Amino acid sequence: VTVNYAPPTATVTYSTLNGYVLNATHLYVGVQILPKKNGKYTTAPGQFPYKHENLGGVTTDTYIINGLSGNVYVAAHSEVCDDI
């Protein structure tokens, strides 16, 4: 995962090594350490606000998040498989 951040925009790119592919990615970028669900911090990737699912075996995936300021936290998750 590569993060380029120049307020107000963060560009987050997931890239796989040769022989692997992405099936899904989940992302949180924000001023709190993690996103909240029902008032409590969550580490569950399915609760992250940005999701790309059913990617079908791509080798890169990019998010562009706007409207940010100051220091931010990033939590990234991906589902990676062998490229069979």
Side-chain angles (χ1 to χ4, degrees), residues 47-72:
Q47 300 299 319
F48 291 0
Y50 307 107
K51 305 171 191 180
H52 292 160
E53 298 177 331
N54 302 313
L55 291 173
V58 299
T59 58
T60 63
D61 188 27
T62 300
Y63 293 81
I64 298 173
I65 311 300
N66 292 301
L68 302 168
S69 64
N71 294 330
V72 296

Side-chain angles (χ1 to χ4, degrees), residues 8 11-12 19 21 25-26 28-29 31-34 46 56 61-64 69 71 74-75 77 82:
T11 302
V12 180
V21 295
T25 59
H26 304 92
Y28 167 75
V29 179
V31 296
Q32 297 181 0
I33 194 165
L34 288 166
D61 188 27
T62 300
Y63 293 81
I64 298 173
S69 64
N71 294 330
V74 176
H77 172 265
D82 291 339

Side-chain angles (χ1 to χ4, degrees), residues 1-5 10-15 27 29 61-63 74 76:
V1 173
T2 303
V3 178
N4 291 308
Y5 177 51
T11 302
V12 180
T13 301
Y14 294 71
S15 301
L27 178 68
V29 179
D61 188 27
T62 300
Y63 293 81
V74 176

